[in-house]
Amino acid sequence: MYQLDTAFLNRIDVFFDRCKEVADYMTDHPETGLQNPLAVSRICAMLEKEGYAITAPCRGVESSFLAVDKKRLDDNGPRAVFMCETDALPEIGHACGHSISSAISLLAALAIRDAYPDLPIRIDIMGTPGEEYPGGKVYLADAGAFDGYEFAAMAHLSDVNMPDTTALASNDHYITFHGRSAHASGNPCAGINALNAARLFMDAMDMWRQHIPRNSQIHGIVVKGGYIPSAVPELVELNYYYRAQTLKELEDLNQKAIKSMQGAALATDATVEWVQQYETYADVFQNPVSRKAVTEIFDAMGESYTFKDVPAGSSDVGNVDQHTPIFHPYICASGGATVPNHDLAFTKLMKSETGYAALRNGAIVLGSIGLRMALEPELLAEIQRRHKEYRGL
């Protein structure tokens, strides 16, 4: 049976207030997308004071940073990274929980370093902006920021504890159908109806739902559907999201969508064009060995937890998982009450007793993961083997 490390737990108390102050500042100063200068400045100032060397931005990605223990800058041994998500949501702030989750990564890393300055694996800290949009980890991963790490880890907040979760690969199409305007009563035969083309495409995508893999998903809305009923619609714009179990299945779904667009345009004499607005998010591997390791930590803490085995949603952490194994546990911030993420009520939890309890518990979970991976090399090796097998590496 796994037992929590007492030396590490004692250091949680040493750094808790410092990390809580960072979390409160981020909650009070929410920033969105890749524009997170206040959060980055506050976090980096604290880490510099604690003896970290800061590179900001990291790999040229706006509002990112990399923090490395100055005493281990020349350490060429194994290394891992704890991630700090610094962005919030428009209007409702840190309903995503990133202010506390960033502080969890900071608290866990600082407590581990203080308890075990010569840990066999050096743990770096990386700021990863724009998780909600446009996908900061995608840019960082593409730039090689996660290459060479033994694993990457962070905690997310929820209203339940979960040792892991799945996430679907996803991307989007912004679709524009072009027709020709004409008076709908006086001269309709001179028009080309872009709305008819859009309707055919939407019907085609709905027909595909029965014949795509079970975990593939299609979401779409009409952004512009015409200007006035008495004019044949000449411009119609649609916004579609696609999700799938794997990147390969996502590409297949994309091709079905493109053929459906082209067919709808051909059938109505319209023309069509499309663009991808956001980065492609990759799927997350639900590693059974990682899951068991994290459930053992929850058990040692006396914390209840649940499992989420049906994949849903998407995150740029999947793009990190393309390069190295990830840990992504969810920590309860609601004290057991049902409070959904991305709701104003969840924002309020960020400065509550249950939110601060999540900071402490999350740091214990994340730090214990780091210690186990560093001190139990056979466990890490099996996690890495399963990951490579899944990824075909």
Side-chain angles (χ1 to χ4, degrees), residues 73-270:
L73 281 172
D74 297 326
D75 186 340
N76 295 318
R79 55 197 175 94
V81 63
F82 286 175
M83 298 173 284
C84 293
E85 293 179 347
T86 50
D87 60 314
L89 290 159
E91 306 298 331
I92 55 175
H94 280 281
C96 50
H98 293 175
S99 55
I100 293 278
S101 68
S102 278
I104 286 172
S105 292
L106 297 173
L107 182 53
L110 289 167
I112 287 175
R113 187 189 66 153
D114 201 50
Y116 294 97
D118 298 316
L119 195 72
I121 295 179
R122 186 187 84 192
I123 296 179
D124 299 341
I125 304 170
M126 188 182 297
T128 58
E131 189 270 339
E132 299 296 341
Y133 65 90
K137 295 186 200 67
V138 181
Y139 302 136
L140 286 162
D142 288 348
F146 296 99
D147 295 348
Y149 282 118
E150 302 295 319
F151 65 91
M154 62 165 291
H156 222 103
L157 297 190
S158 181
D159 56 4
V160 293
N161 290 317
M162 292 187 289
D164 59 10
T165 190
T166 57
L168 296 167
S170 68
N171 63 6
D172 72 285
H173 285 145
Y174 196 94
I175 306 158
T176 304
F177 285 97
H178 297 276
R180 185 168 60 233
S181 183
H183 196 287
S185 177
N187 195 22
C189 60
I192 295 175
N193 196 315
L195 183 58
N196 284 348
R199 288 173 57 204
L200 281 178
F201 166 76
M202 297 174 77
D203 284 346
M205 296 313 295
D206 283 342
M207 291 174 186
W208 269 120
R209 292 180 194 275
Q210 183 183 357
H211 304 289
I212 57 178
R214 187 175 300 275
N215 289 320
S216 292
Q217 300 174 355
I218 304 167
H219 323 286
I221 63 168
V222 178
V223 180
K224 294 180 181 178
Y227 302 106
I228 189 171
S230 60
V232 174
E234 66 175 346
L235 177 71
V236 173
E237 297 177 2
L238 308 178
N239 196 5
Y240 263 70
Y241 291 177
Y242 313 99
R243 303 184 201 266
Q245 182 78 59
T246 66
L247 285 170
K248 184 177 183 301
E249 290 181 359
L250 180 65
E251 176 58 25
D252 181 66
L253 185 55
N254 280 190
Q255 291 305 310
K256 286 178 170 59
I258 290 169
K259 289 177 181 178
S260 296
M261 294 175 212
Q262 293 170 330
L266 181 65
T268 56
D269 271 348

Side-chain angles (χ1 to χ4, degrees), residues 7-40:
F8 162 68
L9 292 179
N10 290 338
R11 299 321 196 277
I12 292 284
D13 293 329
V14 172
F15 295 100
F16 181 84
D17 286 342
R18 274 169 264 188
C19 296
K20 174 178 172 290
E21 288 176 4
V22 172
D24 285 346
Y25 180 82
M26 290 176 63
T27 299
D28 292 338
H29 301 85
E31 301 167 293
T32 59
L34 298 178
Q35 304 294 319
N36 310 158
L38 296 178
V40 172

Side-chain angles (χ1 to χ4, degrees), residues 6 10 53 69 127 153 231 356 378:
T6 303
N10 290 338
D69 183 358
Y356 298 139
E378 291 182 358

Side-chain angles (χ1 to χ4, degrees), residues 232-308:
V232 174
E234 66 175 346
L235 177 71
V236 173
E237 297 177 2
L238 308 178
N239 196 5
Y240 263 70
Y241 291 177
Y242 313 99
R243 303 184 201 266
Q245 182 78 59
T246 66
L247 285 170
K248 184 177 183 301
E249 290 181 359
L250 180 65
E251 176 58 25
D252 181 66
L253 185 55
N254 280 190
Q255 291 305 310
K256 286 178 170 59
I258 290 169
K259 289 177 181 178
S260 296
M261 294 175 212
Q262 293 170 330
L266 181 65
T268 56
D269 271 348
T271 59
V272 64
E273 60 192 37
W274 60 92
V275 296
Q276 183 174 328
Q277 301 176 97
Y278 309 114
E279 296 297 324
T280 296
Y281 283 10
D283 51 294
V284 171
F285 172 43
Q286 198 169 40
N287 191 321
V289 183
S290 301
R291 168 179 278 195
K292 183 174 184 295
V294 179
T295 58
E296 289 170 348
I297 294 169
F298 276 125
D299 287 338
M301 295 170 63
E303 289 286 324
S304 62
Y305 50 86
T306 188
F307 297 111
K308 183 179 179 182

